Amino acid sequence: MNEPIDLHSALASFSDLWSPRIVSQVNDYDVRVAKVAGDHVWHAHDDTDEFFLVLDGEFAIALRDESGERAVTLPKGSVFVVPRGVEHRPSAPGGASILMFEPAGTLSVGDRHDDVPDHVDATIGRALG
C-alpha cells in the first residue's frame, strides 16, 4: 500500500452493502470504506471508539446510552465519533458511502449486537478488490 488510493475507485470496485473494505492501515488501525443503505443493527464496541466520515449521501446514527436515545444526521463531508460502549445503529435511508477508522480486527457488528439481518455483513473488514 505504498501508492495513493482513489476512494471513488475503491468504492466502485464492489457493490455489497454494509460490507466494509479495508483500503489502508495506519499503525494498528484499519481505514475502511463501505456502501450503506437502509438500517444496520443496534450494536456497541466495548473497547474502542468508532470514527465515521460521510463521503457521499446522508448518514444517520441512532445512539443509546444511560441518558437516553438520540440521533445524529451527517451530511456529506461530516465526521462523527461514537464513543466506546455506546449502543448505536447506523442508517442511510437514501444510501451513502462512508469511511471508518477503527482498530484492525474490529467486528462490524461490535461486541454486543441485536440479531444480524441478512443484508449486514458481520466482518472484520474485507480486502479491497
Side-chain angles (χ1 to χ4, degrees):
M1 291 190 192
N2 56 2
E3 294 295 323
I5 297 165
D6 180 84
L7 293 179
H8 295 291
S9 296
L11 286 160
S13 72
F14 65 96
S15 60
D16 301 325
L17 297 175
W18 299 112
S19 185
R21 299 305 200 268
I22 300 168
V23 295
S24 188
Q25 290 188 309
V26 179
N27 298 315
D28 297 331
Y29 282 76
D30 287 341
V31 179
R32 303 175 184 179
V33 294
K35 294 178 180 181
V36 298
D39 293 332
H40 197 270
V41 61
W42 279 102
H43 67 284
H45 301 276
D46 292 332
D47 299 317
T48 185
D49 299 338
E50 190 169 21
F51 172 92
F52 294 95
L53 165 64
V54 181
L55 300 172
D56 193 37
E58 187 174 88
F59 188 66
I61 306 172
L63 303 154
R64 282 195 295 219
D65 62 18
E66 60 277 348
S67 63
E69 192 171 311
R70 70 183 181 104
V72 295
T73 300
L74 308 172
K76 179 180 177 178
S78 295
V79 299
F80 186 78
V81 175
V82 176
R84 71 188 71 206
V86 173
E87 284 186 285
H88 58 289
R89 186 193 69 211
S91 65
S97 297
I98 59 173
L99 180 141
M100 295 163 289
F101 189 72
E102 53 199 354
T106 299
L107 189 60
S108 62
V109 295
D111 303 305
R112 297 178 280 119
H113 56 80
D114 287 346
D115 290 337
V116 179
D118 290 341
H119 71 277
V120 172
D121 187 11
T123 179
I124 58 169
R126 301 204 181 279
L128 189 62

